Amino acid sequence: MKVAFVGLGVMGFPMAGHLAKAGHEVTVFNRSPQKAKAWAAQHPGKAAASVAEAAAGAEIVFLCVGNDDDVRGVVGEALPVMAPGAIIVDHTTTSAKVAREMADLAGQGGRWFVDAPVSGGQAGAENGQLTVMCGGDPAAFARAEPVIAAFAKATRLMGGPGAGQLTKMVNQICIAGVVQGLAEGMHFAKRAGLDPLEVAAAISKGAAQSWQMDNRWATMAENRFDFGFAVDWMRKDLGLVLDEAQANGARLDMTALVDGYYSEVQELGGNRWDTSSLVARLEK
């Protein structure tokens, strides 16, 4: 298919690469032109000088940008020039509200919008193993899903517009609790005089096992926090979660606490550390 990809960060750069490797005709755009040029030098496809140039005639436009306002801006530029009946697939983590707004806006122009936030981090993007949770029209999703499969191991339609974003919020709630538990377990193990790696070997085959333990325990023990998804982005996501909870009445006591703990990590200078850096505030 003729596709565009807007936003070439640590996630978008490899995701767009998988689309090109799958044989799609890919045009990319990034606010920093050098990233788009670097992508085009490494993959079949081309770099555009604007969102509109990238999206012109595209059947699917993929987004992986920063926040609600970024999505509004890109969609506003892309919709008028996309092919009739084309689909925007937004992999940005945003509010459910903006997903619904964009779906309405796309529909007014005879096009479609699917909110499709992802989980799996930088490694998942690079290995083409992301989990994608989607909201939108079933027919639009059915057309987009085989293309998304270029970089996803699992893609599921969760409901109408905004349902993908709400599901991603559940994902972030669960991750926040797991990482805080790991941080406190690590801190306790060290204070008790135990070898953290031996502790992990003992407990990771039982009920305490998790993806975070398997992939982050050893690096947490070494105070290495350079594995992709940054504290600043996690706080953005948790802010969306807490705003939505205020609107729907959900009680998220633990999530609010962990959001505050991440603010302490930011005060330590850990804005760009990955989310496993919660342990750093316990050992300062």
Side-chain angles (χ1 to χ4, degrees):
M1 297 184 77
K2 180 177 174 59
V3 305
F5 205 107
V6 178
L8 300 176
V10 295
M11 303 290 287
F13 195 105
M15 291 163 73
H18 286 297
L19 289 168
K21 290 173 188 174
H24 300 290
E25 181 185 342
V26 184
T27 302
V28 300
F29 172 78
N30 194 75
R31 284 184 296 190
S32 302
Q34 62 269 27
K35 280 192 177 180
K37 292 175 182 177
W39 185 92
Q42 296 179 34
H43 302 94
K46 59 184 180 180
S50 68
V51 170
E53 181 183 333
E59 298 167 86
I60 301 181
V61 174
F62 292 91
L63 316 185
C64 194
V65 292
N67 56 38
D68 285 21
D69 286 341
D70 292 330
V71 170
R72 290 186 178 101
V74 172
V75 171
E77 290 186 58
L79 278 179
V81 298
M82 294 169 62
I87 305 165
I88 291 179
V89 177
D90 180 24
H91 295 302
T92 314
T93 297
T94 69
S95 68
K97 177 184 177 182
V98 81
R100 298 183 188 113
E101 288 176 4
M102 295 302 99
D104 287 344
L105 183 63
Q108 292 170 20
R111 295 170 176 87
W112 303 96
F113 182 93
V114 175
D115 51 291
V118 303
S119 182
Q122 182 177 352
E126 291 173 349
N127 296 324
Q129 294 291 299
L130 292 170
T131 296
V132 188
M133 48 219 91
C134 299
D137 179 82
F141 171 78
R143 286 171 52 204
E145 183 182 16
V147 186
I148 296 171
F151 48 76
K153 66 177 180 181
T155 307
R156 182 179 292 270
L157 182 65
M158 304 305 301
Q165 296 297 347
L166 293 172
T167 304
K168 177 62 180 286
M169 292 178 197
V170 176
N171 186 78
Q172 301 306 73
I173 292 166
C174 296
I175 288 174
V178 169
V179 176
Q180 178 61 19
L182 287 179
E184 292 186 12
M186 174 74 67
H187 178 62
F188 181 91
K190 289 182 176 179
R191 287 298 182 97
L194 298 171
D195 181 335
L197 299 184
E198 288 296 314
V199 170
I203 69 174
S204 63
K205 307 304 179 185
Q209 186 274 339
S210 67
W211 185 96
Q212 296 288 343
M213 177 174 283
D214 290 346
N215 289 275
R216 294 291 176 264
W217 181 275
T219 53
M220 288 168 74
E222 299 170 355
N223 293 315
R224 291 197 288 125
F225 308 124
D226 55 350
F227 294 93
F229 193 67
V231 168
D232 281 351
W233 292 115
M234 185 61 160
R235 287 216 70 204
K236 183 212 67 167
D237 289 2
L238 294 182
L240 294 170
V241 168
L242 295 170
D243 286 347
E244 188 69 32
Q246 187 171 24
N248 69 22
R251 288 188 55 183
L252 301 181
D253 301 338
M254 177 275 299
T255 304
L257 280 172
V258 175
D259 181 56
Y261 297 156
Y262 276 123
S263 73
E264 294 181 34
V265 175
Q266 289 175 318
E267 290 171 5
L268 294 173
N271 301 67
R272 302 304 301 171
W273 295 348
D274 72 66
T275 52
S276 69
S277 59
L278 279 174
V279 71
R281 61 172 287 275
L282 300 175
E283 299 184 347
K284 62 182 178 180

